[in-house]
Amino acid sequence: MGGRDEKSSVRRNRSLSESIKGLFKPVGIGIGGSNGEANNNANGPSNGNKQNSAQENTKAQQPARPSEMPQLGTKKNSGRLGNIATNKEAELSSSRGAPIQAPASPLQSPVLQRPHHGLPNVSKLSITPLSPPGSDRDSIASEESHPRSKKGSSGDEGEMPDQRKDPRNNQKMQENKLHTPQMSSESQESGTLIDSILENDESDEHIHSKEHSKDQAQSGPYVNGRRSRANSHVGRSGSLKRNDSLSSNNVQGNKDYLRARNRADTFSASSLPKFSEIESKCVLQVENFKVYENGFHEHNLKVSSLVTDGNDNLSSSDIAKQKSSFSLSGMFKHHKEDSKQLENALSLIPASRLSLYQRIDRSRSQAVEDEQNGIVGIMENGFQADDEQDESKPKDKATPRIVNTNAAVGSEELKLINTLSEKIHSALNGESLKIEGQKKDIPKFYEQYGKPVGLIGHGAYGVVKVCSRPKTPKDIAPFATYSSGKKLFFAVKELRPKANDQIDRFSTRITSEFIIGHSLSHCHKKGTKVSPNILTIFDLMETNDAFVEVMEFCPSGDLYSILTRKSKNGTALHPLEADCFMKQLLHGVQYMHNHGVAHCDLKPENILFYPNGLLKICDFGTSCVFQTAWEKHVHFQTGTMGSEPYVAPEEFITDNEYDPRLTDCWSCGIVYCTMVLDHYLWKIALRDEDVLYDSFYEEMKEHKQFYVFEEMRHVNNEISRLRRAALYSILQIDPKRRITIDSLLQSPWMKHTRCCVFY
Ligand SMILES: Nc1ncnc2c1ncn2[C@@H]1O[C@H](COP(=O)(O)OP(=O)(O)OP(=O)(O)O)[C@@H](O)[C@H]1O
């Protein structure tokens, strides 16, 4: 493993600009660069473009955010390279004797004890300040109700019996107040019901029966546990329920639900079905997360607070007032100053006879047909004659031959990149934007996206505002953004160069962010659908003094805020809720990978939510294109990308070429652990720098186990086991041994996971 020196050489092999370098005829200053290289490589750029673009894009070089929403105080530095949230407040509170908010290791088996002697207080990795000593933690986190501390619990029998019986361990637990994803007795009991419910998931029938017979052969306690639960399931109310959870009513309930549930391909972002409409009893409730007798669940995430109502001059006390009094109805008021600024915004996307989406669709469909018919007009230089019907285009241009019709970056995106790059450079050089026919044809900003109604957050390049407009007859459900009543909402992110930004770097950053996000949320060939888990990017526009990116609005904000809010109440996410999020995350990442793009900065801050639990991956500013439409092979990366706690170990090795899909997979694993543990696993996956990671490394090497994973509890033994096995395969230090996203989605754990979106 590399040391710190290696890490400091933060760079990236192939940013978007590098990926496409030379593939398309430059328009002067565009990202396209020289086409000389491209002519030598019909299949796209070589893997040798290592020189520069990492520094352009890596977040390591971004200063901390100018300001943050008050409740995100600790977010400011969280997870940014070189700027980790060690969380002074957490240290402070732990030194005051606050409960340790971490998987301390009181229950580890003797064989696991040695490696983590002398570990620092893991609470330093907390993502939020700890609760004050003696604070009332949620039942799920309560050590008293921990199944393993409960005499006669049917919890994890057969897994770690010695530990559970050891009174010293129980005492230590009392001292440490474990704050890991332990299940309360109630949850655990509900888990027994959930256990039987999960067995009846039609889609998992085969897997389950396989697992089940294996289980019968291997694990007596689990089978016995199920038998012993046969007639008594205790719900939240404590009332006894008969074990006929799949009575005819419930079966009908399931069918209704399945009918109403979002299929990924007929998906409506606006609303998941209301469970109250379905006849099924709630058997588990943790805050707003409810699990029903028919096995499905409901999230009800809180709607984020607006930081201001659009007037940027509000003081922090005003902000606090705003926050507490915020409701979605407050978003219906428009704010004059912002309206003026945005009213004159002009889209940088070129107007054309055909809409961009139509053209992208056409070019992809044409490529598929050509491929099927064996027709590829390859020119001498290996490029394909460009015979599209865009009349405005000079006839002598050629595009490379498309070999991968799934790729997010194809010829239309290349054209757009060059156009945008040119326009951004012109704008930054003070030249006014020239858009043909802009006055007549192009709808004004507020007609398209409405007027500003508030400010949702601050990013590294400016604020994020919320705009809303009334729905029109042209807006047909499912809407591509959040809708409430008669309104549609959009998130509008300002992008302003920072004082020390070079034009090229800024231009590359926003072009990457926009093009990758935009193409991912629109690219699909005939017969395939866009993933519901990728944030839709609508537009990139220029105002008088900034660029603005118009996006789908996610009213429940990001996962980081959700976790920090939860942490304040002393809870992590319920494992069933976290599993649902994980499945959605993996589907989103799988979609990206299928389209030749790796995210490279997956972390809670880049995962947004709808109140119904629908997850959206956002922030493609550091994503890399590992395969364009002209490339058959995956290009590997070098250099470190992303935010330290989520970065895979192989990224820190100097000049090591790694598969960005596997590093994304590692980050997903860390994100999952953060959701259920409520703290980072480690600050950085470098043995020299992080004793926690070192401990993980040693344990995995010597015992093929990690005490944190061994102690994690799910709703029952079987799911604990399946999840643990999956976590080991995700967090494989050697990427060659790491599971792929595709295989992970096929793993028994994910197959058993009920998810809000039906893929
Ligand atoms: N589409 C959206 N819907 C709802 N909230 C959003 C949306 N986009 C951003 N936000 C919120 O706005 C805040 C700032 O977001 P932004 O992406 O600008 O921050 P950032 O992480 O610094 O971005 P970047 O890394 O691209 O500079 C975050 O709290 C985020 O949750």
Side-chain angles (χ1 to χ4, degrees):
M1 289 290 121
R4 190 59 163 169
D5 288 350
E6 293 161 340
K7 196 187 115 312
S8 59
S9 66
V10 173
R11 63 186 184 144
R12 182 158 65 136
N13 182 14
R14 254 167 69 102
S15 64
L16 175 64
S17 58
E18 289 304 309
S19 317
I20 56 163
K21 192 169 181 182
L23 275 173
F24 198 71
K25 200 168 175 183
V27 288
I29 6 173
I31 289 182
S34 153
N35 63 350
E37 273 180 57
N39 287 348
N40 298 328
N41 184 359
N43 273 342
S46 77
N47 197 17
N49 299 326
K50 296 178 188 172
Q51 57 276 26
N52 52 27
S53 57
Q55 276 102 345
E56 289 168 11
N57 293 290
T58 179
K59 294 200 172 190
Q61 294 177 337
Q62 292 175 13
R65 300 167 187 220
S67 61
E68 293 287 344
M69 292 163 71
Q71 75 271 31
L72 303 179
T74 56
K75 181 179 179 180
K76 191 162 184 172
N77 299 328
S78 80
R80 298 277 169 184
L81 274 169
N83 213 353
I84 298 301
T86 32
N87 201 339
K88 288 221 164 75
E89 284 179 75
E91 286 182 48
L92 218 65
S93 53
S94 80
S95 69
R96 284 196 302 258
I100 294 169
Q101 186 186 23
S105 50
L107 299 181
Q108 66 223 7
S109 59
V111 77
L112 293 174
Q113 272 171 0
R114 192 194 53 73
H116 40 90
H117 273 316
L119 287 181
N121 184 342
V122 200
S123 64
K124 287 180 185 173
L125 297 178
S126 166
I127 55 172
T128 53
L130 294 172
S131 307
S135 69
D136 203 14
R137 290 190 179 278
D138 186 275
S139 63
I140 199 167
S142 155
E143 159 271 316
E144 284 85 359
S145 58
H146 188 277
R148 288 167 298 168
S149 66
K150 224 186 145 194
K151 250 190 173 177
S153 157
S154 62
D156 276 352
E157 282 170 60
E159 289 210 341
M160 303 170 77
D162 297 343
Q163 297 159 13
R164 195 161 14 90
K165 283 172 197 156
D166 186 346
R168 282 168 306 166
N169 288 336
N170 282 342
Q171 193 188 338
K172 220 167 179 186
M173 275 182 68
Q174 291 278 358
E175 286 161 11
N176 286 328
K177 293 229 175 218
L178 272 180
H179 182 46
T180 44
Q182 327 298 359
M183 304 300 300
S184 68
S185 56
E186 216 169 292
S187 308
Q188 189 79 5
E189 299 247 27
S190 302
T192 65
L193 176 57
I194 291 157
D195 177 12
S196 66
I197 287 164
L198 288 169
E199 287 162 22
N200 289 287
D201 187 343
E202 287 160 42
S203 60
D204 294 333
E205 220 171 80
H206 174 64
I207 292 155
H208 175 74
S209 61
K210 257 167 71 180
E211 290 299 325
H212 178 66
S213 43
K214 224 188 323 170
D215 184 81
Q216 277 181 321
Q218 288 172 359
S219 162
Y222 170 62
V223 178
N224 292 340
R226 277 173 37 203
R227 276 196 206 115
S228 67
R229 295 172 206 140
N231 295 314
S232 59
H233 295 308
V234 184
R236 177 110 186 134
S237 63
S239 61
L240 287 178
K241 291 171 196 246
R242 284 176 53 79
N243 185 26
D244 53 1
S245 59
L246 283 172
S247 63
S248 55
N249 264 355
N250 285 327
V251 171
Q252 188 53 44
N254 273 350
K255 282 183 185 158
D256 290 345
Y257 178 72
L258 284 170
R259 238 178 281 135
R261 199 153 62 125
N262 282 308
R263 285 195 66 93
D265 54 352
T266 56
F267 146 83
S268 159
S270 310
S271 62
L272 289 166
K274 287 258 181 285
F275 284 80
S276 51
E277 293 161 12
I278 299 162
E279 282 213 7
S280 189
K281 284 174 198 155
C282 175
V283 291
L284 170 72
Q285 178 165 9
V286 181
E287 295 190 1
N288 290 335
F289 177 67
K290 293 179 185 168
V291 182
Y292 289 86
E293 203 174 21
N294 63 6
F296 294 101
H297 61 250
E298 186 179 28
H299 296 275
N300 283 322
L301 299 173
K302 279 189 188 138
V303 171
S304 311
S305 313
L306 289 187
V307 176
T308 74
D309 64 353
N311 175 357
D312 293 349
N313 300 321
L314 289 184
S315 69
S316 52
S317 60
D318 290 330
I319 289 170
K321 274 185 224 154
Q322 288 268 343
K323 269 174 48 118
S324 56
S325 61
F326 169 73
S327 70
L328 263 182
S329 58
M331 287 190 173
F332 288 77
K333 292 172 199 152
H334 294 148
H335 300 281
K336 280 181 194 162
E337 278 179 32
D338 283 340
S339 301
K340 266 188 216 153
Q341 190 215 5
L342 290 173
E343 190 178 336
N344 299 322
L346 291 173
S347 176
L348 293 175
I349 299 180
S352 157
R353 203 162 45 81
L354 288 176
S355 80
L356 179 68
Y357 310 145
Q358 284 170 314
R359 280 185 283 134
I360 287 175
D361 196 35
R362 173 187 281 200
S363 99
R364 280 170 207 285
S365 305
Q366 185 61 50
V368 175
E369 276 168 36
D370 287 353
E371 207 179 339
Q372 282 164 357
N373 300 331
I375 305 168
V376 179
I378 310 170
M379 297 167 68
E380 271 176 26
N381 58 10
F383 278 43
Q384 180 184 2
D386 189 344
D387 58 357
E388 288 179 51
Q389 293 166 21
D390 186 345
E391 283 152 18
S392 63
K393 195 181 52 165
K395 293 290 174 206
D396 59 346
K397 279 190 181 173
T399 51
R401 181 163 71 97
I402 289 179
V403 292
N404 172 10
T405 49
N406 276 328
V409 177
S411 55
E412 288 300 333
E413 288 77 15
L414 277 186
K415 285 178 221 168
L416 193 56
I417 287 164
N418 282 322
T419 310
L420 286 184
S421 180
E422 187 184 23
K423 286 180 177 174
I424 291 166
H425 274 82
S426 308
L428 290 173
N429 287 327
E431 293 165 29
S432 65
L433 202 59
K434 286 177 206 136
I435 297 178
E436 259 177 70
Q438 66 189 46
K439 281 185 185 138
K440 280 182 248 157
D441 305 336
I442 297 179
K444 300 225 161 155
F445 178 92
Y446 62 74
E447 285 165 22
Q448 284 179 288
Y449 309 114
K451 295 181 181 175
V453 289
L455 198 60
I456 197 72
H458 291 86
Y461 286 91
V463 296
V464 181
K465 291 173 183 166
V466 186
C467 292
S468 88
R469 69 162 171 82
K471 283 179 200 159
T472 68
K474 281 188 190 164
D475 299 310
I476 301 160
F479 307 109
T481 188
Y482 180 72
S483 82
S484 174
K486 294 179 179 166
K487 299 265 177 181
L488 284 181
F489 293 85
F490 299 88
V492 180
K493 181 166 164 178
E494 264 181 12
L495 299 158
R496 280 173 214 277
K498 286 171 275 186
N500 55 352
D501 262 346
Q502 286 167 347
I503 289 185
D504 277 347
R505 191 182 150 209
F506 177 74
S507 168
T508 304
R509 160 92 201 185
I510 64 173
T511 313
S512 294
E513 173 156 347
F514 174 73
I515 296 285
I516 292 183
H518 185 270
S519 53
L520 280 172
S521 54
H522 295 99
C523 72
H524 56 273
K525 17 178 225 196
K526 266 185 189 152
T528 60
K529 293 286 171 192
V530 171
S531 167
N533 300 119
I534 300 291
L535 189 81
T536 304
I537 309 291
F538 295 105
D539 215 337
L540 183 64
M541 305 181 104
E542 190 197 5
T543 68
N544 291 339
D545 61 348
F547 297 97
V548 292
E549 187 182 30
V550 185
M551 307 172 273
E552 171 179 12
F553 173 55
C554 298
S556 290
D558 58 56
L559 178 60
Y560 185 90
S561 319
I562 292 169
L563 294 178
T564 47
R565 269 202 301 263
K566 284 243 175 201
S567 284
K568 279 183 193 149
N569 300 332
T571 62
L573 284 183
H574 188 280
L576 288 175
E577 188 163 33
D579 288 3
C580 172
F581 292 165
M582 179 71 165
K583 197 162 181 172
Q584 294 188 59
L585 175 65
L586 293 175
H587 272 285
V589 176
Q590 184 188 45
Y591 176 87
M592 292 185 72
H593 291 178
N594 286 345
H595 289 82
V597 178
H599 190 283
C600 301
D601 192 15
L602 290 165
K603 57 178 175 179
E605 290 90 326
N606 290 335
I607 297 171
L608 297 170
F609 285 97
Y610 277 63
N612 57 20
L614 182 65
L615 175 150
K616 299 275 175 177
I617 299 172
C618 69
D619 198 348
F620 307 100
T622 46
S623 298
C624 76
V625 179
F626 60 77
Q627 196 175 23
T628 63
W630 308 277
E631 295 171 307
K632 275 187 179 157
H633 304 291
V634 168
H635 287 265
F636 281 20
Q637 299 285 309
T638 55
T640 322
M641 288 304 301
S643 303
E644 277 181 355
Y646 305 92
V647 171
E650 66 268 23
E651 292 191 42
F652 294 114
I653 304 172
T654 308
D655 289 336
N656 179 43
E657 295 203 337
Y658 59 85
D659 184 339
R661 295 170 298 180
L662 292 173
T663 56
D664 269 358
C665 185
W666 173 281
S667 306
C668 289
I670 305 278
V671 168
Y672 180 82
C673 292
T674 312
M675 285 196 275
V676 292
L677 296 174
D678 206 15
H679 59 76
Y680 306 125
L681 273 179
W682 41 74
K683 291 183 208 166
I684 185 166
L686 272 176
R687 295 180 64 197
D688 299 348
E689 300 218 358
D690 194 318
V691 69
L692 287 164
Y693 177 71
D694 188 49
S695 150
F696 165 76
Y697 184 94
E698 289 292 334
E699 283 188 40
M700 289 299 287
K701 204 169 129 201
E702 284 180 34
H703 312 293
K704 307 254 181 297
Q705 282 191 340
F706 181 44
Y707 75 102
V708 176
F709 298 166
E710 293 300 316
E711 289 173 5
M712 284 165 78
R713 295 291 172 265
H714 211 298
V715 292
N716 65 38
N717 288 348
E718 181 61 354
I719 301 190
S720 294
R721 188 179 68 76
L722 298 180
R723 177 178 70 174
R724 196 164 44 243
L727 287 178
Y728 282 126
S729 42
I730 300 169
L731 296 176
Q732 278 293 330
I733 295 161
D734 178 358
K736 289 192 199 97
R737 300 168 66 99
R738 197 172 302 150
I739 196 167
T740 61
I741 297 279
D742 286 341
S743 308
L744 186 54
L745 276 166
Q746 293 305 318
S747 71
W749 174 42
M750 278 295 119
K751 285 281 184 186
H752 271 76
T753 295
R754 289 277 173 114
C755 183
C756 289
V757 181
F758 185 48
Y759 294 96

